Amino acid sequence: SISVSAQLVKEGRAVGLVSMGNTGMVVAASTLLLGRLPGIRMPAIAVTVGFTGHPMVIVDMGANVDASAENLLHNGMMGSIFAQDILGIEAPRVALLNVGEEAEKGPKRFKEAHQLLTEGCAGFVGNIEGGGIFGATTDVIVTDGFTGNVMLKLLEQFGEFVLSKVAESAQDAGLKISPEVFGPVIRDLDYAAYGGALLVGVDGVVVIGHGKSDPRAVSNALKQAARAADAEINKHIIAGLEASGIS
């Protein structure tokens, strides 16, 4: 079904592919059947999160675990355009996830990526450490697929773990916490609010949803695909790359 959907997009019989199936299969089928955008060597998964109180996109969350410095530059540029087209952020701030804020920190490819982002990505504000993702200092976080996927799975489970421990402690203490207290927190941590992740860098609109998506998540994933198609995000990515001399 994933390959059939990708083929329909390629033939122009559908504006986008939305799948709650195996992420690796969606990435592989989309890359092989739809192809990559000019200048993009590897696609990336752009995940929107809202636990900072405002929407933020993290790129990449699992498509390319061995990202080069050039791939990280592309992730930053595509993430910036995603933030503009999909999240409505006029001038996105872009940060590189690293082990320290200083430009010389991290492995060689991250040092090189810092330089490339400084020179070629508008809105780049430098490195950000892991704890910095909970602040409001950036709109786009750039990382490789290995780190991003580990971080995504940790954030999903950690949010559920903390809420369950708070509820358990409150019950043990004989306290009753009203839904109004937990409600906003749960909404910020709920993946269903955005429905899925956009696979950026392929020549078509592809949204990858969570395997345990409920009807609301599926509906929002379909809406995200429609927004991406209406915004013509791929045209803007190509134009951005060309303007930077990448094609």
Side-chain angles (χ1 to χ4, degrees):
S1 63
I2 294 172
S3 296
V4 169
S5 298
Q7 187 64 36
L8 290 173
V9 174
K10 181 178 181 179
E11 295 172 358
R13 297 167 62 190
V15 299
L17 183 168
V18 176
S19 176
M20 309 300 160
N22 180 274
T23 298
M25 290 296 294
V26 177
V27 173
S30 301
T31 304
L32 291 172
L33 293 175
L34 301 178
R36 292 162 294 187
L37 296 177
I40 297 295
R41 287 179 170 78
M42 292 296 295
I45 298 174
V47 174
T48 305
V49 294
F51 49 72
T52 61
H54 75 288
M56 176 176 65
V57 60
I58 305 175
V59 191
D60 171 31
M61 297 301 256
N64 181 15
V65 297
D66 295 314
S68 65
E70 185 182 38
N71 296 148
L72 293 169
L73 167 63
H74 295 169
N75 289 354
M77 298 176 71
M78 292 190 293
S80 179
I81 294 169
F82 178 101
Q84 294 175 62
D85 284 1
I86 307 301
L87 303 181
I89 300 172
E90 186 174 344
R93 298 161 297 173
V94 181
L96 177 65
L97 185 64
N98 208 334
V99 295
E101 295 182 356
E102 298 84 357
E104 65 274 10
K105 288 291 184 69
K108 181 180 178 181
R109 61 195 174 105
F110 276 78
K111 296 175 186 177
E112 294 174 350
H114 188 284
Q115 183 63 34
L116 291 175
L117 286 162
T118 300
E119 298 171 351
C121 184
F124 182 60
V125 296
N127 288 337
I128 188 173
E129 297 182 4
I133 67 175
F134 297 105
T137 60
T138 185
D139 305 297
V140 180
I141 291 182
V142 178
T143 187
D144 58 55
F146 179 86
T147 305
N149 191 262
V150 171
M151 180 172 65
L152 177 63
K153 300 296 175 58
L154 175 63
L155 290 173
E156 287 178 347
Q157 297 301 316
F158 184 70
E160 294 177 6
F161 171 76
V162 169
L163 288 175
S164 66
K165 294 299 288 184
V166 171
E168 182 181 310
S169 297
Q171 185 177 17
D172 291 343
L175 301 174
K176 184 178 180 181
I177 300 180
S178 68
E180 289 76 13
V181 175
F182 271 144
V185 178
I186 294 174
R187 285 194 296 272
D188 286 344
L189 296 173
D190 187 8
Y191 67 89
Y194 299 99
L198 190 68
L199 182 64
V200 291
V202 294
D203 192 11
V205 173
V206 178
V207 174
I208 304 172
H210 203 294
K212 61 179 183 180
S213 293
D214 58 16
R216 175 167 162 262
V218 175
S219 174
N220 285 334
L222 291 166
K223 291 175 183 176
Q224 182 174 165
R227 285 196 301 273
D230 289 342
E232 298 184 315
I233 185 172
N234 285 338
K235 286 186 178 180
H236 294 160
I237 290 175
I238 292 172
L241 294 174
E242 290 178 346
S244 299
I246 301 171
S247 60

